[in-house]
Amino acid sequence: MRKIVLKANDENAGERLDICILNLSNIFTDKFIADNSDISRSYAARLCEDGLVNGGGKIFAKKYKITGAEEFIIDVPDPEELSVEGENIPLDIVYEDKDVVVVNKPQGLCVHPAPGNESGTLVNGLIYHCGNELSAINGIIRPGIVHRIDKDTSGLLIVAKNNEAHIKLSEQLKERKAMRKYTALVNGNIKEDSGSINKPIGRNPFDRKKMAVVQGGREAVTYFSVIERFGQYTLVECILETGRTHQIRVHMASIGHSIVGDMLYGIKKEKFSLNGQLLHATTIGFIHPSNGKMMNFTSEIPDYFQNVLKKLRK
């Protein structure tokens, strides 16, 4: 059992690794833990639900609103033995060493198992490829997964092979030091050459399967620039400053330029026969967790995406 102690307010913050200070305006327990530790918000919520977040003689619920006087004692269970089986799934490994793996994920491949989808995922393939050499911070169904991309989004993502690498890479994402560029084909003609979208994202209150721009959502910032225009369509590059669920898809749809092929947030009847959105994680950059060197990797736009662009260029 790993124990983490966080204080909502402490004048000695910074002298101890387990003490953090936060602007406490409308902050709930699960968000506070996620912002000040290596624990994801969803996992923090599970720990709260399991009664593993306590302090001052009380157990904190995930939606307890912090006042600033609390001390949180978080009991993080030891990683369970992996019950997810490895599968011989072909993986496009762009880079690998003792700390990290950079994978080029194809469209249609889920990143990790979920209820009703326990096999055939990237994680199953990673377990087969890496064996026990994957970080355990995100639990038994997400070993090594530092960040994720949607099933029907293709492209690059980073996998951590040990907990130390995972923590350092997560910190880079949280502190916005890692770089993630995407290429997307969107509906409509974007008149501006470039721009930014700064709109909070949260769960859609009317459809829990979707995300939406909502008041009180988590901060979300996306930068975009036009690569090429096709009249009714625009090819853009998007850079993530934050990494919310479905961020680019929600943000582009919010300005009237949904991603082509996105059946969840975009047009239901598309001109092209597609199996998902034309969104590709093209470039990823991060500081190597061991040697401190800047690492940059690029992935070519996949054929099905290129074929659409060829048709538009005729």
Side-chain angles (χ1 to χ4, degrees), residues 147-150 153 156 172-173 175-183 197 201 219-224 237-252 279-281 283-285:
H147 66 111
R148 59 182 296 275
I149 54 179
D150 302 330
T153 297
L156 300 172
Q172 290 182 47
L173 291 170
E175 295 169 3
R176 305 176 186 184
K177 293 179 180 178
M179 181 266 293
R180 288 167 289 172
K181 290 183 181 180
Y182 289 71
T183 302
I197 307 169
I201 291 177
E219 180 193 16
V221 181
T222 304
Y223 300 98
F224 68 87
E237 177 184 83
C238 294
I239 298 177
L240 290 179
E241 182 170 312
T242 56
R244 310 305 175 210
T245 301
H246 299 175
Q247 178 171 317
I248 294 174
R249 299 165 65 188
V250 172
H251 268 173
M252 296 310 296
L279 178 63
H280 181 69
T283 306
I284 197 159

Side-chain angles (χ1 to χ4, degrees), residues 34-313:
D35 286 345
N36 293 281
S37 71
D38 55 40
I39 298 172
S40 68
R41 188 171 184 178
S42 59
Y43 189 41
R46 290 207 305 274
L47 292 175
C48 291
E49 291 166 356
D50 292 341
L52 297 175
V53 180
N54 61 86
K58 66 186 294 184
I59 295 175
F60 292 101
K62 65 179 180 180
K63 293 304 178 187
Y64 169 82
K65 186 179 287 189
I66 296 174
T67 66
E70 297 85 356
E71 178 177 85
F72 298 95
I73 301 172
I74 309 156
D75 293 317
V76 183
D78 293 330
E80 300 177 42
E81 185 178 347
L82 286 176
S83 60
V84 181
E85 296 184 0
E87 298 177 47
N88 188 8
I89 298 171
L91 299 177
D92 183 3
I93 304 293
V94 177
Y95 174 83
E96 181 177 9
D97 61 25
K98 65 181 181 63
D99 295 303
V100 299
V101 181
V102 178
V103 184
N104 188 25
K105 187 190 82 68
Q107 185 184 64
L109 181 66
C110 289
V111 170
H112 58 77
N117 185 43
E118 289 82 13
S119 63
T121 71
L122 178 66
V123 161
N124 295 104
L126 286 168
I127 292 171
Y128 182 91
H129 177 77
C130 298
N132 295 324
E133 293 183 345
L134 291 170
S135 70
I137 285 174
N138 273 342
I140 61 173
I141 64 170
R142 301 183 185 184
I145 302 302
V146 179
H147 66 111
R148 59 182 296 275
I149 54 179
D150 302 330
K151 174 185 176 182
D152 290 329
T153 297
S154 57
L156 300 172
L157 57 83
I158 315 167
V159 176
K161 295 179 75 173
N162 55 69
N163 287 0
E164 183 179 357
H166 193 132
I167 291 168
K168 290 182 178 179
L169 291 167
S170 294
E171 287 174 350
Q172 290 182 47
L173 291 170
K174 186 187 302 183
E175 295 169 3
R176 305 176 186 184
K177 293 179 180 178
M179 181 266 293
R180 288 167 289 172
K181 290 183 181 180
Y182 289 71
T183 302
L185 184 69
V186 302
N187 289 292
N189 179 29
I190 298 180
K191 296 179 180 180
E192 305 90 349
D193 290 335
S194 61
S196 64
I197 307 169
N198 187 343
K199 298 180 180 182
I201 291 177
R203 189 68 59 181
N204 188 316
F206 305 105
D207 185 346
R208 303 301 292 174
K209 294 181 179 179
K210 299 174 67 175
M211 307 301 288
V213 171
V214 294
Q215 186 175 5
R218 301 181 73 186
E219 180 193 16
V221 181
T222 304
Y223 300 98
F224 68 87
S225 58
V226 172
I227 300 172
E228 191 172 357
R229 293 185 174 90
F230 304 99
Q232 296 181 3
Y233 303 95
T234 308
L235 185 66
V236 296
E237 177 184 83
C238 294
I239 298 177
L240 290 179
E241 182 170 312
T242 56
R244 310 305 175 210
T245 301
H246 299 175
Q247 178 171 317
I248 294 174
R249 299 165 65 188
V250 172
H251 268 173
M252 296 310 296
S254 77
I255 63 170
H257 297 288
S258 61
I259 296 175
V260 174
D262 190 344
M263 299 298 289
L264 192 61
Y265 299 104
I267 299 171
K268 302 303 179 185
K269 291 186 178 180
E270 292 279 5
K271 175 181 177 181
F272 309 101
S273 179
L274 299 168
N275 294 317
Q277 59 270 3
L278 294 183
L279 178 63
H280 181 69
T282 311
T283 306
I284 197 159
F286 58 92
I287 301 169
H288 193 279
S290 289
N291 61 35
K293 293 182 179 179
M294 189 66 201
M295 312 285 286
N296 286 287
F297 301 95
T298 301
S299 167
E300 294 293 328
I301 294 173
D303 289 343
Y304 62 86
F305 197 150
Q306 293 281 13
N307 290 337
V308 173
L309 297 180
K310 289 176 182 178
K311 290 178 182 178
L312 293 174
R313 288 175 181 136

Side-chain angles (χ1 to χ4, degrees), residues 10-26:
D10 192 313
E11 63 182 9
N12 296 316
E15 295 180 9
R16 290 169 52 195
L17 293 177
D18 58 354
I19 301 296
C20 299
I21 288 179
L22 185 68
N23 180 348
L24 300 172
S25 175
N26 296 319

